[in-house]
Amino acid sequence: MTDTYLKLVNAQPFSRVAKAAGLPRPVPLRRYVPGAPLVPGPVLVLGRSRSTQAAAETLLEWNLDVRRHLRPKEKFGAAVVVLDDLAHPGELSDVLLELGNGLRNLLPGGRIVTISRSVASGLPPQVAAARQAVDGMLRSLAKELRGGATANGILLGEGVDVGAPSVRDALEFLLSGKSAYVDGQFITVGSDSGKRQKPAVLPLAGRTAVVTGAARGIGAEIVNVLRRDGAQIIAVDVPAAGEQLAQVANGAGGTALQVDITAPDACERILQHAASRYGGLDIMVHNAGITRDRLLANMDEARWNSVLAVNVEAQLRINEQLLDSDIFDADGSIVCLASTSGIAGNRGQTNYAASKAGVIGMVRATADALAGSGRTINAVAPGFIETDMTAKIPFATREVARRLSSLQQGGLPLDVAEAVSFLASSGAAGINGQVLRVCGQNLVGA
Amino acid sequence: MGGNRIPFARSGAQYAHASNQEMLTAALDGLVARFGLQGERIGEVAAGAVLKHSRDFNLTREAVLGSALAADTPAYDVQQACATGLETVIGLSNKIKLGQIESGIAGGVDSASDAPVAVSEGLRRVLLELARARTTPQKIAALTKLRPADLKPNAPTTAEPRTGLSMGEHQAITTSRWSISRQAQDELALASHANMAAAYDRGFFDDLVTPFRGVSRDGNLRADTSLEKLGALKPVFGRNLTGEATMTAGNSTPLTDGAAAVLLGSEDYAREHNLPMLANVVDAEAAAVDFVHGKEGLLMAPVYAMPRLLQRNNMTFDDFDFFEIHEAFASTVLSSLAAWEDEDFCRTQLGLPGALGTVDRTKLNVNGSSLAAGHPFAATGARIVASLAKSLAEKGSGRGLISVCAAGGQGVVAILEAR
């Protein structure tokens, strides 16, 4: 679905009219292009803690133009703000005011990334206040940025330092074009698991991935991105979607497996296929999902049950068998598709939101069980994404929905796929039980 | 190693505007997707069509070029009427056994909807003469030979060139000869539909069929049919014969569009590519009968091929767990079974010491056959081979026997065994 307004507002004469009238002015987002620089300009590293230097050194290893201070009016592409040793809310002002001072010089498509510590129980109140303050600050800052720039944070868990592999991975993801539609979000790194030390061209090389619901839309895009990142693909969808599924599989050099994921033997068939054709399975992406929208007052049993069956019950059943199996790698990653509907709710979607909130509950509980095992499970929660599904929304509603995010536009299936690939990489092994929103900081439920 | 087909559709229905090349390409692409063969050079692809346009002289090669297979995959066309698909399997598996190729894709396609329509013989002659004419008077002279009747095109028919009788009328003679009852034919048709519907429901076709043009199940399949519904249909063949006409649209296969393909390979090829090994192609035999002079029924040739095949392999019907007898008409299957059970016929016609034997009906066409799926002539053999190979792999042991009758009084039979 083309965003006509986005095209109009970025061309004369309408761009001048829109500016004068104070209309939303979304810009084309900076997305990942293989071989292109990680960030569009110098990276400013701010912070008072000892870890600040470690962060700067990581960026230097990636051959970035790293600055500890900016000259007046110098443009910059990103700022990494290290706030990992906050003891009191009062300590925020120095660093943040310095950031604010230069903010007008942030390039279009720029990135602000904070690195701070997660709020755990048992902290002294002033420490908890300082850490929580980062949350409110960052979410507000993200809403202030324009020109496709985003602000996101990395939260360090207990005992995790700035140099942990998954911190580096999350930092790379958030600085890059891969996180174009991730805005105002935090990624918690809970452990120092993970191996990767520098940006890899093929982060998923040698891994085999199953993507359910792969025949179209977001699923097809996930297949393409996982393949681009080096994974072998098993594309799964219901037999009725086999024609498109075959095209997707052929485009990605993978195999098409026609399975209804709600069938009792679905996991067995997936595992058997993975074992016989690829010698095992490393990544499971639960993308398949359906909507059967109705107000609860008009809801029937078939609509309610089918949505729950496909969107959450099938994932529960498959995960149980998957995690019991040796075919699923000891360092395997599960990535589930949730939805901002499951976080904030959506009129007419009690069934869908129930299923997607259920996925979030499942991810968190499963993550607890997997802690320390090498395997991880995470969720990606897309907001308004331009797909065949959202193209069916009535025009006016769709236009409003698009402009309701900080980036003033819908995301692309690619944006969701990038987040999935990031969470599926072995570098993200220190990230477990997280729900990463890809919603452009949608104001509804943000 | 596996197979793939597109769902079969009734002639003039969903695939009315799909060409043979498109359908065969779709069947190949689905096979490529199922087994991850993108860009793979296959030893050889053999396929064919019975109803074929002159522009499709290189049909299989063109389909390969349009598919996700490597462009350096060679291909050739085969045409043996309804036995085309099975014959491609036999030809390629023989090449593999000889070590000439490591892998092959066998298949077939037919469109009764997109059938070629030829100009009349008179118009054809005039057009050729016109092309040869050099001067205007010569051109005018050529055109004056044109008669109004020449403008009527020759529509394709299923009539036998030497008898002018349609396949159904031929079979009606055989049906009458073996006294096959209407009830027995309808029961066989019902079993075909019920078996195939059950197979779809248990997901048997999930890795054998890839949807095409929005169709995900065979258009001819009637899961809800009954003996009452089948019994209510009026006979369409054999109405001019003495005795009761018993062959209806329900117990005869309709004209059908569709395509099917089978992946074949050596053991080494399968191991190197981590591909499944479902069944071995053991042996095959072809036969033909003289139907022109009325010595035998048009579709009875497999009856003659069968004892030769069994004898060569030192087997009887008891050695088989599955029988796949192509249901051109319900009565074709029943006539064949009756002939093999008839001591007198087996002695005098097949030269056997007694009856060949009885086919266990519980092992016959257990996942349905052409009466339910439909019958795109050249595609049927590949449909049967892929389904039987999967049945054998599911069982994990045993053998299957295939019998396919074909126009021209021909027939081909083959043995598969589980690995």
Side-chain angles (χ1 to χ4, degrees):
Chain A
M1 186 76 205
T2 319
D3 188 340
T4 314
Y5 179 82
L6 181 115
K7 283 185 171 172
L8 266 178
V9 81
N10 282 288
Q12 291 298 354
F14 190 70
S15 69
R16 206 172 301 155
V17 177
K19 188 175 183 179
L23 293 172
R25 290 189 296 145
V27 300
L29 301 181
R30 175 173 69 88
R31 292 193 166 86
Y32 173 73
V33 178
L38 191 64
V39 283
V43 183
L44 178 63
V45 179
L46 297 175
R48 302 285 180 266
S49 77
R50 251 181 286 161
S51 306
T52 312
Q53 190 53 34
E57 276 161 19
T58 297
L59 299 170
L60 283 168
E61 277 173 41
W62 298 347
N63 297 319
L64 298 176
D65 180 3
V66 180
R67 311 291 173 82
R68 294 302 300 269
H69 297 283
L70 286 176
R71 288 186 285 273
K73 298 201 175 166
E74 190 180 21
K75 299 281 184 192
F76 66 108
V80 176
V81 186
V82 184
L83 300 164
D84 67 321
D85 67 343
L86 294 176
H88 192 279
E91 294 173 11
L92 281 164
S93 67
D94 268 9
V95 177
L96 291 176
L97 293 177
E98 187 181 349
L99 173 67
N101 211 16
L103 219 45
R104 284 181 208 287
N105 294 317
L106 184 63
L107 287 161
R111 299 283 186 265
I112 308 292
V113 180
T114 62
I115 302 176
S116 60
R117 293 206 168 270
S118 54
V119 186
S121 57
L123 288 175
Q126 64 273 28
V127 176
R131 292 184 183 183
Q132 194 70 45
V134 176
D135 186 284
M137 181 282 299
L138 184 96
R139 289 178 197 274
S140 302
L141 174 58
K143 293 181 180 183
E144 292 177 8
L145 296 177
R146 287 292 177 261
T150 64
N152 293 288
I154 297 170
L155 295 177
L156 308 177
E158 208 52 50
V160 177
D161 70 40
V162 170
S166 291
V167 175
R168 291 160 164 253
D169 233 51
L171 185 57
E172 185 202 343
F173 172 74
L174 292 173
L175 289 175
S176 76
K178 293 179 178 178
S179 63
Y181 202 61
V182 178
D183 199 9
Q185 306 304 314
F186 287 89
I187 296 170
T188 302
V189 177
S191 82
D192 53 11
S193 300
K195 297 181 194 95
R196 206 168 63 77
Q197 295 297 318
K198 59 180 178 183
V201 183
L202 297 173
L204 305 181
R207 308 191 94 205
T208 300
V210 165
V211 180
T212 66
R216 58 174 71 86
I218 291 175
E221 198 61 43
I222 292 171
V223 165
N224 293 337
V225 170
L226 296 188
R227 179 62 191 163
R228 179 201 71 193
D229 289 348
Q232 298 271 17
I233 303 294
I234 301 169
V236 172
D237 215 313
V238 288
E243 188 172 5
Q244 296 92 327
L245 185 70
Q247 281 169 13
V248 169
N250 283 346
T255 50
L257 183 62
Q258 300 183 153
V259 174
D260 181 345
I261 55 161
T262 63
D265 65 345
C267 187
E268 192 188 320
R269 286 180 57 193
I270 289 169
L271 285 172
Q272 204 246 325
H273 181 94
S276 65
R277 298 305 314 280
Y278 301 98
L281 180 63
D282 306 285
I283 297 164
M284 179 78 210
V285 182
H286 289 295
N287 164 73
I290 58 170
T291 55
R292 297 285 182 273
D293 294 357
R294 271 291 188 282
L295 297 177
L296 186 59
N298 304 326
M299 186 71 70
D300 59 44
E301 196 181 334
R303 282 198 171 79
W304 182 275
N305 288 347
S306 59
V307 167
L308 272 289
V310 174
N311 294 6
V312 62
E313 289 170 49
Q315 293 193 24
L316 281 165
R317 192 182 313 112
I318 288 174
N319 284 349
E320 198 178 321
Q321 297 171 32
L322 195 66
L323 295 171
D324 264 353
S325 166
D326 295 340
I327 294 168
F328 190 57
D329 193 67
D331 293 325
S333 318
I334 302 175
V335 183
C336 307
L337 269 284
S339 166
T340 52
S341 242
I343 298 169
N346 215 356
R347 186 179 153 88
Q349 290 198 320
T350 48
N351 52 353
Y352 184 74
S355 72
K356 292 300 188 179
V359 167
I360 292 171
M362 173 193 76
V363 164
R364 288 180 179 147
T366 309
D368 289 344
L370 292 180
S373 74
R375 289 169 171 174
T376 63
I377 182 168
N378 291 286
V380 172
F384 185 91
I385 303 296
E386 304 281 356
T387 62
D388 291 348
M389 202 162 87
T390 50
K392 286 181 193 146
I393 298 172
F395 173 79
T397 317
R398 187 172 68 234
E399 272 307 301
V400 171
R402 276 175 173 157
R403 307 309 153 212
L404 270 181
S405 73
S406 294
L407 295 169
Q408 301 175 327
Q409 60 193 289
L412 301 181
L414 172 68
D415 299 322
V416 179
E418 296 284 14
V420 169
S421 184
F422 157 64
L423 290 171
S425 70
S426 40
I431 300 168
N432 187 23
Q434 299 302 301
V435 180
L436 178 57
R437 268 184 255 174
V438 182
C439 65
Q441 200 181 27
N442 201 303
L443 303 188
V444 179
Chain B
M1 297 189 288
N4 182 58
R5 66 181 177 94
I6 59 173
F8 295 166
R10 283 181 169 225
S11 160
Q14 297 96 328
Y15 305 163
H17 302 290
S19 69
N20 276 340
Q21 192 184 318
E22 285 171 88
M23 290 193 288
L24 183 57
T25 307
L28 290 176
D29 271 343
L31 189 76
V32 168
R34 180 158 302 136
F35 295 102
L37 302 172
Q38 301 86 3
E40 179 83 13
R41 184 177 65 82
I42 297 295
E44 209 155 28
V45 178
V50 173
L51 300 174
K52 198 166 158 184
H53 291 263
S54 53
R55 62 163 188 259
D56 286 338
F57 64 95
N58 221 354
L59 173 66
T60 311
R61 172 65 181 151
E62 291 298 329
V64 166
L65 284 172
S67 77
L69 289 169
D72 52 0
T73 297
Y76 65 96
D77 281 25
V78 173
Q79 213 274 44
Q80 197 187 22
C82 308
T84 302
L86 184 55
E87 186 55 36
T88 58
V89 172
I90 296 163
L92 287 181
S93 56
N94 285 347
K95 283 195 176 196
I96 291 167
K97 287 180 194 178
L98 281 171
Q100 293 170 345
I101 52 175
E102 284 288 298
S103 61
I105 296 174
V109 58
D110 253 298
S111 170
S113 306
D114 190 40
V117 174
V119 297
S120 72
E121 193 58 16
L123 178 57
R124 193 179 70 88
R125 287 200 183 122
V126 169
L127 290 173
L128 287 172
E129 196 173 326
L130 196 62
R132 284 191 294 267
R134 289 173 185 276
T135 65
T136 308
Q138 280 175 344
K139 284 179 184 165
I140 292 167
L143 281 170
T144 55
K145 291 180 185 164
L146 196 63
R147 299 288 170 269
D150 293 339
L151 295 176
K152 190 169 171 273
N154 289 344
T157 70
T158 54
E160 280 294 325
R162 287 176 188 277
T163 62
L165 285 183
S166 74
M167 209 171 262
E169 290 303 333
H170 267 290
Q171 178 56 42
I173 299 168
T174 309
T175 306
S176 169
R177 148 84 173 83
W178 290 99
S179 309
I180 307 298
S181 74
R182 167 75 184 265
Q183 170 88 8
Q185 293 175 52
D186 286 352
E187 280 170 2
L188 191 88
L190 180 66
S192 189
H193 285 282
N195 288 347
M196 182 156 279
Y200 266 108
D201 287 345
R202 71 183 174 93
F204 181 77
F205 293 110
D206 282 1
D207 58 359
L208 290 172
V209 176
T210 302
F212 180 61
R213 296 205 174 190
V215 183
S216 51
R217 282 193 181 196
D218 303 307
N220 191 55
L221 178 62
R222 298 285 177 271
D224 60 346
T225 195
S226 63
L227 278 182
E228 290 70 40
K229 285 182 186 169
L230 288 165
L233 298 170
K234 286 203 176 69
V236 288
F237 299 117
R239 285 179 299 190
N240 300 327
L241 300 174
T242 54
E244 187 203 358
T246 55
M247 294 170 61
T248 68
N251 58 41
S252 309
T253 54
L255 289 173
T256 312
D257 305 335
V262 175
L263 181 62
L264 302 161
S266 67
E267 286 188 4
D268 287 347
Y269 183 87
R271 286 203 186 91
E272 276 164 27
H273 293 76
N274 292 324
L275 289 163
M277 289 185 262
L278 305 180
N280 292 332
V281 180
V282 178
D283 197 5
E285 175 80 16
V289 295
D290 182 0
F291 67 99
V292 183
H293 303 96
K295 288 184 184 164
E296 185 50 90
L298 176 73
L299 303 179
M300 291 296 273
V303 172
Y304 292 77
M306 192 63 82
R308 306 207 291 250
L309 178 71
L310 293 179
Q311 206 162 23
R312 182 162 69 233
N313 289 278
N314 201 19
M315 292 177 192
T316 69
F317 284 152
D318 296 337
D319 293 308
F320 294 90
D321 303 275
F322 300 100
F323 293 86
E324 284 282 349
I325 305 180
H326 162 50
E327 299 165 338
F329 302 90
S331 60
T332 313
V333 179
L334 295 167
S335 301
S336 302
L337 299 183
W340 288 325
E341 285 173 14
D342 189 296
E343 212 173 312
D344 187 46
F345 174 86
C346 288
R347 275 209 187 99
T348 57
Q349 298 299 312
L350 304 181
L352 300 174
L356 182 62
T358 302
V359 169
D360 183 345
R361 293 286 292 270
T362 63
K363 298 176 179 173
L364 175 66
N365 298 344
V366 293
N367 293 309
S369 186
S370 305
L371 284 168
H375 171 41
F377 310 118
T380 290
R383 171 187 70 74
I384 290 175
V385 169
S387 290
L388 176 58
K390 179 170 175 181
S391 294
L392 288 166
E394 276 186 346
K395 187 172 185 292
S397 65
R399 292 189 193 90
L401 197 50
I402 300 171
S403 167
V404 177
C405 57
Q410 305 208 83
V412 180
V413 294
I415 298 171
L416 301 192
E417 74 182 0
R419 290 198 49 100

